[in-house]
Amino acid sequence: MNARLASILLVAGFPFAGVAIGATLEPLTNQPPAYVGPNPPFLLTDGSVLFQDDSYTGFWKLTPDANGGYLDGTWTEVASLPEAWSYGPYAYASAVLADGRVLIEGGEYNLNGPFSLTNQGAIYDPVADTWTEVDPPPGWDYIGDASSIVMPNGKFLLGNKLDMRIAELDPATMTWTALGFAGKAEDFNAEEGWTLLPDGTFITVDVLGAPNTERYVYTDAENAGSWTALGPTPGSLAWDYNKPPIIFPGGTYDPPGETGQCVLRPDLTVFCTGASNDQAINLAHTAILDTTTMTWSAGPDFPPGDDDGDTSAVLLPNGNVLVSSHTGQLYEFDGATLTPTLSPGSSALLVMLPNGQALVNGFDVEIYTPDVTDPDPAAIAQIIDLPYFVIPGTTYRVTGFQLNGISQAQAFGDEIQAPTNYPLVRFTGAGGDVHYARTHDHSSMGVRTGFTDTVWTWFDVPPDIAAGTYRIETVANGVPSNHTCMRVLAADAIFADPFELCAPM
């Protein structure tokens, strides 16, 4: 992780012609009780957002208001990592799993101490509000700020920072399996991000071996899976800052540099950003991968003096990629042009919210609303089966097509992963009141799963939701599905007239 993320301020946004003026950036009315930047925000499957504070062991939850908005949301302190564990990581591998739990693995730093590459890990259960320790993969003495990804089958893959090994965690059994890494072009996975494609493979931009890129073909079996060359990007997306070797308990680590993020877009291209040293003569490049032909083309460069090394990006519902640069300037990439928009005053971590806005976590927590809010048609999921009636506090299943969205929709570079490619279920009342049902045990964690094979998730109807008629829809990456109506019965209801269906809303 690049320490610049936490330290760079921006006095004003870049004064470039063509700056997008329709977007807005607003600070939350209620800022968190503790400082939570630049730690990652995680969208939980009940619509709330989990944050880690600057004690590194404390966590807070932001809950949307009664109308589903986050500007006036409320904060609740949740369970901390126990002091007895001596674990409070910064810059780690992470994910929201298919069962709704949040996994954190490793940490470049621990408890605000020196460079340690800790191999500790923990998993958070938001229902029980408890943390549980997670053992490292067998033989892994160090993890640090590692690459990671959740595969379509829900299993979590972790890349060893110091070598080429990959380990797979099965969340159902919490056991690790060693996967294959044949064909890997570099000696380690350090500083590389992993981007999931619709076919279940994932790509990475090499840092040590820039401008080369690679593709991992996943096989769910011990010592299986392999890398293949994907070819070079037109311009290097990595930058070597020539940092001196770092001493840590396991020896000496030579930092290879940094790169930016890669985000899959609705047109089946992957937009990847690059790093530089911010000198005007060294422009930071971008590149575009056409996933139908697996060929690279050059994208627009960043303006002189700015870059995207080790920062954050999300996919907006309209199909644009929102990027938080090293200086703090936000940009939108629309498939052709990289346009500066607004700035929160510092480099920030981003995550998509289910209402279509982006949460911007920097010195303050702010909400970004793009000037174009209509979702890209390719991103809209379709519900095909769910109950007509539900009872509060009860669990049901919703089935449909492409409920997970068309992209992971979030990337950082290597660590601090918080993709949102999983379905939420939203109830909206006639008066505009919004309720999220906690979802869990999604049948798939893939992207762009299409309209041939169905996917589903289970949802828990909120126990305090009032009886009545609601519009119901799933949401992934801030994009709502088609919607239908549903009747919520009283909690003590024992009979529902099957002919008394709700009217469309």
Side-chain angles (χ1 to χ4, degrees), residues 113-125:
F115 188 83
S116 64
L117 302 185
T118 177
N119 70 346
Q120 293 176 265
I123 192 164
Y124 177 68
D125 183 338

Side-chain angles (χ1 to χ4, degrees), residues 19-88:
V19 171
I21 59 174
T24 61
L25 184 64
E26 302 174 83
L28 296 188
T29 303
N30 304 309
Q31 289 296 315
Y35 180 56
V36 296
N39 296 314
F42 299 101
L43 177 65
L44 300 181
T45 63
D46 65 354
S48 61
V49 186
L50 182 71
F51 293 77
Q52 180 188 23
D53 68 29
D54 61 353
S55 73
Y56 301 105
T57 59
F59 287 81
W60 300 81
K61 183 173 70 172
L62 174 66
T63 301
D65 64 23
N67 296 314
Y70 291 83
L71 275 175
D72 296 318
T74 55
W75 292 91
T76 306
E77 188 173 13
V78 298
S80 299
L81 292 166
E83 183 178 351
W85 296 357
S86 297
Y87 184 48

Side-chain angles (χ1 to χ4, degrees), residues 22-396:
T24 61
L25 184 64
E26 302 174 83
L28 296 188
T29 303
N30 304 309
Q31 289 296 315
Y35 180 56
V36 296
N39 296 314
F42 299 101
L43 177 65
L44 300 181
T45 63
D46 65 354
S48 61
V49 186
L50 182 71
F51 293 77
Q52 180 188 23
D53 68 29
D54 61 353
S55 73
Y56 301 105
T57 59
F59 287 81
W60 300 81
K61 183 173 70 172
L62 174 66
T63 301
D65 64 23
N67 296 314
Y70 291 83
L71 275 175
D72 296 318
T74 55
W75 292 91
T76 306
E77 188 173 13
V78 298
S80 299
L81 292 166
E83 183 178 351
W85 296 357
S86 297
Y87 184 48
Y90 175 66
Y92 43 81
S94 52
V96 177
L97 302 175
D99 59 16
R101 294 180 295 172
V102 178
L103 177 69
I104 60 176
E105 280 294 320
E108 189 171 8
Y109 303 92
N110 188 33
L111 295 173
N112 204 26
F115 188 83
S116 64
L117 302 185
T118 177
N119 70 346
Q120 293 176 265
I123 192 164
Y124 177 68
D125 183 338
V127 177
D129 189 27
T130 57
W131 288 93
T132 302
E133 284 187 284
V134 177
D135 291 333
W140 287 39
D141 295 327
Y142 301 96
I143 293 177
D145 50 329
S147 309
S148 71
I149 193 169
V150 176
M151 299 307 294
N153 62 6
K155 296 184 179 181
F156 174 84
L157 271 57
L158 184 67
N160 194 296
K161 180 182 178 71
L162 301 176
D163 57 41
M164 298 181 287
R165 287 179 293 172
I166 297 175
E168 174 187 78
L169 178 68
D170 184 345
T173 62
M174 295 304 293
T175 56
W176 293 97
T177 301
L179 297 185
F181 51 84
K184 179 66 176 169
E186 295 188 329
D187 292 336
F188 50 50
N189 299 299
E191 306 300 338
E192 297 177 359
W194 292 349
T195 305
L196 186 63
L197 301 184
D199 64 1
T201 64
F202 59 85
I203 66 165
T204 193
V205 172
D206 291 346
V207 176
L208 183 63
N212 294 327
T213 63
E214 301 178 82
R215 183 184 189 185
Y216 188 78
V217 179
Y218 168 70
T219 302
D220 184 14
E222 187 174 5
N223 297 320
S226 61
W227 291 97
T228 59
L230 195 55
T233 54
S236 177
L237 302 182
W239 187 267
D240 185 351
Y241 296 95
N242 294 312
K243 293 184 177 180
I246 304 173
I247 305 299
F248 72 104
T252 302
Y253 173 69
D254 292 311
E258 303 284 354
T259 188
Q261 311 86 43
C262 292
V263 177
L264 178 66
R265 299 186 61 250
D267 63 359
L268 290 174
T269 62
V270 177
F271 176 63
C272 296
T273 61
S276 81
N277 64 353
D278 298 332
Q279 295 182 9
I281 60 172
N282 297 317
L283 296 181
H285 306 302
T286 70
I288 302 166
L289 176 68
D290 183 336
T291 63
T292 59
T293 61
M294 286 296 169
T295 55
W296 290 97
S297 60
D301 289 338
F302 280 86
D306 206 3
D307 79 298
D308 205 34
D310 222 22
T311 58
S312 188
V314 293
L315 180 69
L316 297 171
N318 60 22
N320 291 358
V321 178
L322 178 68
V323 174
S324 172
S325 74
H326 159 222
T327 63
Q329 180 69 48
L330 297 174
Y331 297 84
E332 284 194 34
F333 174 72
D334 63 2
T337 304
L338 188 65
T339 304
T341 60
L342 301 164
S343 171
S346 68
S347 190
L349 297 174
L350 312 177
V351 72
M352 281 308 305
L353 298 171
N355 64 356
Q357 297 173 315
L359 187 144
V360 180
N361 186 31
F363 283 155
D364 291 325
V365 181
E366 304 186 54
I367 300 295
Y368 180 88
T369 306
D371 57 350
V372 177
T373 57
D374 292 337
D376 189 290
I380 299 174
Q382 181 180 349
I383 296 173
I384 62 171
D385 184 52
L386 78 169
Y388 290 118
F389 310 101
V390 295
I391 296 174
T394 308
T395 301
Y396 301 89

